[in-house]
Amino acid sequence: QVQLVESGGGLVQPGGSLRLSCAASGSIFSIHVMGWYRQAPGNQRDLVASITSRGNTNYADSVKGRFTISRDNAKNMVFLQMNSLKPEDSAVYYCNLRQNYNYWGQGTQVTVSS
C-alpha cells in the first residue's frame, strides 16, 4: 500500500504562484511515475504533469512554460511549482503514484480568482 498526502493549495490571484507538495509513504517501488492531475467541477480528471523515478517529465500543453514538476527521491516527495496562474487552472489537484497500481492522494483545492 502507498499513502499520498498533498499540501500547498489555496486561493491566489491571477498571475500569482503556488507550490504543491506531495509526500509518499509505504511500499514504493524503485521504478514508478509520480504526477499531478486536476479535476474541475463537471470535468474529468486530467494529467497536469508527471515525472518518472529517473526524472523524465511530461506536461499538459496548457501548463507548459508555467508549471514545473520536480521530486526529491530521498524524501519520496513530488512538487508542482505553478506560476502565472490563470482562473482556468482552478481545480482540485490530486497527487498520483503509478506502479503496480494507481494510487491517489485526497486532493487539494487550487482557486485562482481576483
Side-chain angles (χ1 to χ4, degrees):
Q1 285 288 346
V2 172
Q3 295 78 42
L4 302 172
V5 178
E6 302 109 332
S7 60
L11 172 65
V12 64
Q13 291 187 341
S17 298
L18 279 176
R19 186 179 190 236
L20 305 183
S21 300
C22 174
S25 61
S27 301
I28 301 169
F29 295 177
S30 59
I31 298 176
H32 60 271
V33 180
M34 294 191 75
W36 292 93
Y37 289 69
R38 66 186 181 188
Q39 187 170 20
N43 291 354
Q44 63 182 18
R45 189 175 297 186
D46 292 325
L47 175 70
V48 176
S50 65
I51 185 167
T52 70
S53 47
R54 294 184 177 182
N56 296 317
T57 59
N58 181 45
Y59 294 92
D61 288 342
S62 60
V63 307
K64 284 181 180 177
R66 300 189 297 124
F67 291 10
T68 302
I69 190 170
S70 61
R71 62 186 296 159
D72 183 334
N73 288 333
K75 297 181 179 179
N76 287 326
M77 295 189 71
V78 65
F79 308 96
L80 186 67
Q81 178 65 43
M82 305 185 293
N83 298 329
S84 302
L85 282 161
K86 305 175 182 180
E88 51 263 43
D89 293 319
S90 298
V92 178
Y93 283 69
Y94 295 92
C95 180
N96 171 268
L97 187 149
R98 175 161 47 90
Q99 43 186 43
N100 55 336
Y101 296 110
N102 241 345
Y103 296 94
W104 296 96
Q106 79 285 358
T108 185
Q109 178 70 48
V110 172
T111 303
V112 185
S113 175
S114 55

